[in-house]
Amino acid sequence: MAGVQTAVALREQGFTGPITLIGAEPHQPYDRPPLSKAVLLGKAEDSAFEVDFEALDIELRLGVDVTGVRAAVKELDTEAGPVPYDTLIIATGAEPIELPGTEGVPGVHLLRTLDDAARLRPVLDRQHDIVVVGAGWIGAEFATAARAAGCAVTVVEAADLPLVGALPAEVAAPMAAWYGQSGVHLLTGARVAGIEDGSVLLADGRRIPAGAVVVGIGARPATSWLSDSGIEIGADGAIVADAHLRTSLPSVYAVGDCASFPSARYGRRLLIHHWDNALQGPRTVASNVIADGLGTPPHTYDPVPYFWSEQFGRFVQYAGDHAAADTTVWRGHPDSADDAEAAGWSVLWLRRGALVALLAVGRPRDLAQGRKLIQSGAPLVVERAADPSIPLKAASQ
């Protein structure tokens, strides 16, 4: 996503020089969100971008693995030989974390690529008993798809609640009920001790039947190939980009899941593994590549982070960053007995009276209005913000 959008944005913003887009996968560049939805369920064969690369004069080199950067001579090392560059934009994304001890074990799957989705489609078609390891965003989305395909699904989560680390416990707690309401068996506080043919063994001795196992325990920036490049890598494994998405090397940028950047809005460095970041960041990179060529001031990248998830019949959206919030406000309260058709709810996070983050479940209008309020920094009247019958935009002072 980030690589394609950067190449397209360069052309849209008037860059006329040669552009080469290199990717390790052999497929035409594609979008990832449909992999856990339409592609996985067989409703679409692929999710290729509708981009005419030939018309844009963008050269595609597919199925080519890049193994290193030699900045001193401005060359990439690839399995097909060296590739020179004037400006390099790294958009290698993230790679899924494997469950220790399961590499190469038959019946264990990840879901990150088009090939992963292709391998999982016949598994769903056969309506296997499926065990999903990890109750995060991807685990919930895959469990939703597997139930839609008629599979029996058990989700195993080591933490006490879904989405621990992504959301506060009091916000994640209502989401645990969604699993049972959709016919998914959720086991929390359960650690996987091993995977054997046809079953998952838990640390407490329980054995869960499994025709297939899908691992969704997170992702890490795909940056190991940069170890000898001289590009600064953070403790989280991400490329350390500046506010203009430049790396520590001249003429080298980084964008998308592989890079963190400093946010003046939130006062900390952000690493965002979501689609919208791979859409917005490339526009800044493209403008800064062109600005460098013209000698004009660069543009700063400081977005309001945004992502969405479709799970268990619900549309969940999040904007902002709640890490430094000092106040939590609920707009409506979830009832564990409610089904997916019930009225939605939202959670607002404020800092010094201003909205800094928002989670909306089935309330897209709250999200749209809240995102603008986060951008403006306008203070809110808490009493009005807490009333779900009042438009959120009418709660600003």
Side-chain angles (χ1 to χ4, degrees):
M1 176 69 177
V4 168
Q5 292 299 325
T6 301
V8 171
L10 281 165
R11 290 294 187 232
E12 289 178 344
Q13 295 183 33
F15 182 80
T16 57
I19 298 174
T20 303
L21 184 60
I22 303 176
E25 293 185 64
H27 311 289
Q28 282 290 115
Y30 61 88
D31 205 6
R32 293 193 190 277
L35 297 185
S36 61
K37 305 173 184 70
V39 174
L40 187 62
L41 291 172
K43 298 177 181 178
E45 286 303 312
D46 60 36
S47 54
F49 290 110
E50 295 182 0
V51 175
D52 190 336
F53 294 100
E54 185 176 356
L56 291 173
D57 194 21
I58 296 170
E59 179 187 356
L60 291 182
R61 297 191 188 180
L62 304 176
V64 176
D65 195 23
V66 179
T67 58
V69 178
R70 287 180 288 122
V73 293
K74 285 195 166 184
E75 282 187 347
L76 293 175
D77 289 323
T78 81
E79 56 188 10
V83 177
Y85 67 85
D86 294 313
T87 299
L88 172 64
I89 300 159
I90 300 172
T92 46
E95 55 195 10
I97 298 172
E98 295 189 4
L99 191 66
T102 64
E103 185 176 358
V105 175
V108 177
H109 300 263
L110 300 168
L111 179 54
R112 180 72 183 183
T113 68
L114 186 60
D115 288 338
D116 292 337
R119 283 188 288 268
L120 277 165
R121 273 171 59 171
V123 172
L124 298 190
D125 289 343
R126 290 193 292 270
Q127 297 187 340
H128 278 304
D129 288 347
I130 293 177
V131 174
V132 180
V133 182
W137 301 111
I138 190 65
E141 291 192 1
F142 179 81
T144 300
R147 284 299 296 146
C151 300
V153 183
T154 299
V155 176
V156 177
E157 170 57 52
D160 292 332
L161 288 168
L163 295 169
V164 168
L167 295 172
E170 67 272 18
V171 178
M175 299 177 174
W178 299 353
Y179 289 76
Q181 293 166 9
S182 297
V184 175
H185 188 199
L186 174 64
L187 296 177
T188 56
R191 294 188 176 275
V192 175
I195 297 176
E196 302 171 356
D197 187 27
S199 64
V200 174
L201 181 64
L202 302 184
D204 61 9
R206 284 179 290 177
R207 190 178 296 272
I208 313 299
V213 179
V214 177
V215 178
I217 57 174
R220 61 169 65 92
T223 58
S224 60
W225 63 284
L226 295 169
S227 58
D228 298 321
S229 66
I231 293 174
E232 183 182 358
I233 304 294
D236 55 8
I239 297 169
V240 178
D242 67 10
H244 312 300
L245 298 181
R246 295 172 174 145
T247 73
S248 56
L249 291 182
S251 304
V252 180
Y253 294 80
V255 64
D257 293 7
C258 66
S260 68
F261 58 90
S263 170
R265 184 190 309 276
Y266 291 107
R268 70 186 190 101
R269 182 166 285 273
L270 299 180
L271 173 60
I272 303 172
H273 284 182
H274 292 296
W275 185 90
D276 192 65
N277 181 51
L279 174 67
Q280 303 296 340
R283 297 168 183 168
T284 298
V285 168
S287 64
N288 287 342
V289 168
I290 293 170
D292 280 351
L294 298 175
T296 55
H299 296 80
T300 296
Y301 186 59
D302 195 4
V304 173
Y306 167 73
F307 73 88
W308 79 96
S309 176
E310 296 177 71
Q311 52 184 270
F312 308 121
R314 294 162 173 87
F315 188 44
V316 183
Q317 296 172 283
Y318 178 96
D321 179 75
H322 66 268
D326 53 37
T327 304
T328 302
V329 179
W330 291 76
R331 281 172 63 80
H333 289 274
D335 182 339
S336 61
D338 285 349
D339 61 24
E341 302 302 320
W345 49 275
S346 299
V347 181
L348 316 179
W349 287 276
L350 281 61
R351 180 172 171 81
R352 293 193 290 270
L355 188 65
V356 293
L358 165 74
L359 175 81
V361 179
R363 291 181 66 94
R365 187 172 298 177
D366 277 4
L367 191 287
Q369 295 178 7
R371 200 173 180 183
K372 293 178 180 178
L373 289 170
I374 295 171
Q375 290 171 331
S376 70
L380 300 185
V381 178
V382 171
E383 292 76 14
R384 293 180 64 80
D387 187 339
S389 68
I390 296 175
L392 190 53
K393 63 183 180 182
S396 62
Q397 295 184 13

